[in-house]
Amino acid sequence: MKRMLLLGDEAIAQGAIDAGLSGVYAYPGTPSTEITEYIQRSKAARERGVHSDWSANEKTAMEAALGMSYAGKRAMACMKHVGLNVAADGFINAGITGANGGLIVVAADDPSMHSSQNEQDSRFYGKFALIPMIEPADQQEAYHAMSYGFDLSEKFGTPVLVRITTRLAHSRSGVELREPRDANALTLPQDKRQFVLLPSIARRNYQSLLGKQAGFEEDSEQSPFNSYTEGPDRTLGIIACGIAHNYLMENFQDGCPHPVLKIGQYPAPRNMIRTILKSCDKVLILEDGAPFLEEQIRGLLDESYAILGRLDGTVPRAGELNPNIVATALGRTVETGKPKAEIVKPRPPELCPGCPHIDSYNALNEVLRELEPGRVFSDIGCYTLGALEPFNAINTCVDMGASITMAKGAADAGLFPAVAVIGDSTFTHSGMTGLLDAIIENSPITVMIVDNETTGMTGGQTSSARGKLEDICIGLGVPKDHVRVVEPLKKNHDDNMRVIKEELYYEGVSVIIERRECIQTLKISKMLEKEAAK
């Protein structure tokens, strides 16, 4: 059997390819990006004609995957946890429409917020949508979760959510591969109105979804992702979800003395939970993310049984788990490695030397010094680092697309000047509709689109905006004379300041496109040119 050393993200990608995937739809977002990148690089995926272009945002990705499922093919939508908020409309409704070809949504959560605005737990979305979920514990399970998940999706005619966290997504392990499966043939739904969510049909479909819940629970009791292991010391039972099971077993490399319930498929196996609760004096719940299962088991009254976890402080309420946190929760000695070497110093994130955003912020800051109390509303991307020293150039960063809409709201309140800063990829992700709102009301805002011609923060994926920004802005309704394009370079500093100042004083919607290639993609393209010339 073939064996490969794979990241968790790569195991998911390879598992999906081998399970007969026909298309992946995604918007790049850490820690999920590598799934789609792996499929784009895969020779096998290319030979099988697997679709793998980037989508404009997570909502369009979710809906395109649903469309491929409608046509009978196996499809996957991938995103980071906050991307599931963007995709939520299509995601929740897909539970009501159901699936035709196997449909898997992968949500990569980021507990401890290594590169995210929050550490929300996507399992709540799966429960909200009333669909089955799989939470692999390691890379091998991540690989198997794809074929199992597609089969489960087609068995019940429902989407399946696969939830991973950063540590699994970005760590490597050996993975044994299965023989690849052929892609599904094109097959349309037998019920021609199944995907038409008119209220009368949606009510019928919703009853059908509710009727599937018992089957989901029964399947979970038999799932290979759930297991109960006996232990001689029943003073404590342990329920470990997903990767938390690995952290537990790192503490008991010769075997855990306590009964252990490992959970990797939801709805959680009710009978297995009853068994461990009856067998043990108390139970410790280990789950990476929120106290999702702990809240369900505790219920409203929280008095009937000794349950330890995040809610009573046995495990920290926030942040990702690790073997030492689990050891502390178990009252075991925490093993620490050698002290950190002096040469290893904390390095706060910063804009790359030579980044075009530096010159954009320097010009903007200099203009705004004369215009207090003007404020800058930013979006999410490399340019968010403008919030840090030495720039201190932005005042907000809330969610994808919020810069333009927040600037509009502040301008509506009377703030002058109100400036929005947004990247080219984020603009097409979710900034365009906010710009349309501002245009409809002719709100006096200036939108600075910092166009580095790539999706820079996640590693240089193709930006949907490339070569289209001026046409999009003018097409939406920004006056042509107030769509200005500048090149953020030191030599252009005075001219760029003049353009910014002119547009800030324009009493309507103006757009300044600050266009210069990302310094990192420029280095790569020059290196490739050099290699090609050899």
Side-chain angles (χ1 to χ4, degrees), residues 40-110:
Q40 290 174 336
R41 293 194 305 269
S42 166
K43 183 182 175 189
R46 283 196 303 275
E47 289 174 349
R48 296 174 197 180
V50 176
H51 175 280
S52 61
D53 286 344
W54 294 106
S55 303
N57 65 33
E58 294 86 354
K59 181 175 185 288
T60 64
M62 176 68 223
E63 292 159 350
L66 183 62
M68 182 168 274
S69 166
Y70 176 90
K73 301 277 189 175
R74 290 188 162 186
M76 182 165 66
C78 304
M79 57 204 73
K80 66 181 296 177
H81 59 309
V82 289
L84 192 50
N85 299 336
V86 180
D89 205 4
F91 175 75
I92 300 295
N93 287 338
I96 310 291
T97 63
N100 187 24
L103 176 58
I104 289 179
V105 180
V106 180
D109 292 355
D110 189 20

Side-chain angles (χ1 to χ4, degrees), residues 389-407:
E389 297 283 355
F391 307 103
N392 301 312
I394 66 172
N395 305 104
T396 70
C397 170
V398 177
D399 61 54
M400 294 283 277
S403 60
I404 298 176
T405 37
M406 286 188 70

Side-chain angles (χ1 to χ4, degrees), residues 83-133:
L84 192 50
N85 299 336
V86 180
D89 205 4
F91 175 75
I92 300 295
N93 287 338
I96 310 291
T97 63
N100 187 24
L103 176 58
I104 289 179
V105 180
V106 180
D109 292 355
D110 189 20
S112 286
M113 293 177 269
H114 296 287
S115 60
S116 307
Q117 314 94 293
N118 67 41
E119 61 172 31
Q120 70 188 48
D121 191 322
S122 295
R123 292 177 296 173
F124 288 99
Y125 266 115
K127 188 173 187 301
F128 188 28
L130 296 171
I131 63 172
M133 288 181 280

Side-chain angles (χ1 to χ4, degrees), residues 229-348:
T229 307
E230 275 292 1
D233 184 354
R234 298 189 177 188
T235 57
L236 178 69
I238 302 168
I239 300 177
C241 304
I243 196 171
H245 184 260
N246 269 2
Y247 299 148
L248 173 67
M249 299 317 294
E250 281 198 41
N251 278 279
F252 296 110
Q253 296 188 19
D254 296 326
C256 182
H258 306 288
V260 175
L261 172 54
K262 171 180 173 288
I263 294 183
Q265 182 172 334
Y266 306 84
R270 195 183 298 253
N271 291 331
M272 288 182 172
I273 291 172
R274 283 199 190 102
T275 300
I276 198 167
L277 290 178
K278 286 178 182 174
S279 304
C280 302
D281 297 340
K282 56 188 174 184
V283 163
L284 170 65
I285 301 177
L286 301 171
E287 43 192 339
D288 211 10
F292 170 78
L293 188 63
E294 186 180 344
E295 283 185 347
Q296 294 179 57
I297 294 177
R298 281 176 181 273
L300 267 181
L301 298 180
D302 193 20
E303 293 174 350
S304 60
Y305 196 85
I307 297 195
L308 313 176
R310 288 191 185 270
L311 294 177
D312 76 333
T314 304
V315 179
R317 177 63 182 83
E320 68 175 340
L321 299 179
N322 61 41
N324 284 349
I325 289 174
V326 171
T328 302
L330 291 164
R332 292 170 64 85
T333 303
V334 174
E335 295 183 7
T336 55
K338 293 180 180 176
K340 192 183 296 180
E342 279 298 312
I343 197 171
V344 181
K345 294 180 179 176
R347 292 184 303 158

Side-chain angles (χ1 to χ4, degrees), residues 287-496:
E287 43 192 339
D288 211 10
F292 170 78
L293 188 63
E294 186 180 344
E295 283 185 347
Q296 294 179 57
I297 294 177
R298 281 176 181 273
L300 267 181
L301 298 180
D302 193 20
E303 293 174 350
S304 60
Y305 196 85
I307 297 195
L308 313 176
R310 288 191 185 270
L311 294 177
D312 76 333
T314 304
V315 179
R317 177 63 182 83
E320 68 175 340
L321 299 179
N322 61 41
N324 284 349
I325 289 174
V326 171
T328 302
L330 291 164
R332 292 170 64 85
T333 303
V334 174
E335 295 183 7
T336 55
K338 293 180 180 176
K340 192 183 296 180
E342 279 298 312
I343 197 171
V344 181
K345 294 180 179 176
R347 292 184 303 158
E350 60 181 4
L351 292 170
C352 303
C355 172
H357 303 332
I358 293 171
D359 293 303
S360 296
Y361 280 135
N362 284 339
L364 180 62
N365 276 348
E366 196 167 335
V367 171
L368 288 178
R369 276 192 208 109
E370 305 168 6
L371 295 171
E372 281 292 332
R375 289 292 182 269
V376 179
F377 301 86
S378 175
D379 234 290
I380 295 172
C382 298
Y383 45 92
T384 311
L385 300 175
L388 305 175
E389 297 283 355
F391 307 103
N392 301 312
I394 66 172
N395 305 104
T396 70
C397 170
V398 177
D399 61 54
M400 294 283 277
S403 60
I404 298 176
T405 37
M406 286 188 70
K408 180 190 182 306
D412 292 344
L415 178 68
F416 172 81
V419 181
V421 176
I422 188 168
D424 50 316
S425 181
T426 311
F427 178 71
T428 47
H429 175 283
S430 48
M432 295 190 298
T433 46
L435 182 62
L436 184 59
D437 277 354
I439 290 165
I440 288 169
E441 293 196 52
N442 197 31
S443 303
I445 65 170
T446 298
V447 178
M448 181 181 286
I449 304 177
V450 285
D451 178 14
N452 60 5
E453 302 182 318
T454 190
T455 310
M457 182 160 264
T458 48
Q461 294 77 29
T462 305
S463 166
S464 300
R466 190 161 192 171
K468 306 182 184 76
L469 282 175
E470 294 94 314
D471 289 344
I472 291 172
C473 295
I474 294 168
L476 287 171
V478 181
K480 192 173 182 179
D481 292 346
H482 293 282
V483 178
R484 313 282 292 271
V485 181
V486 302
E487 187 178 24
L489 282 169
K490 280 188 177 58
K491 67 178 184 181
N492 299 332
H493 181 74
D494 291 342
D495 285 342
N496 293 349

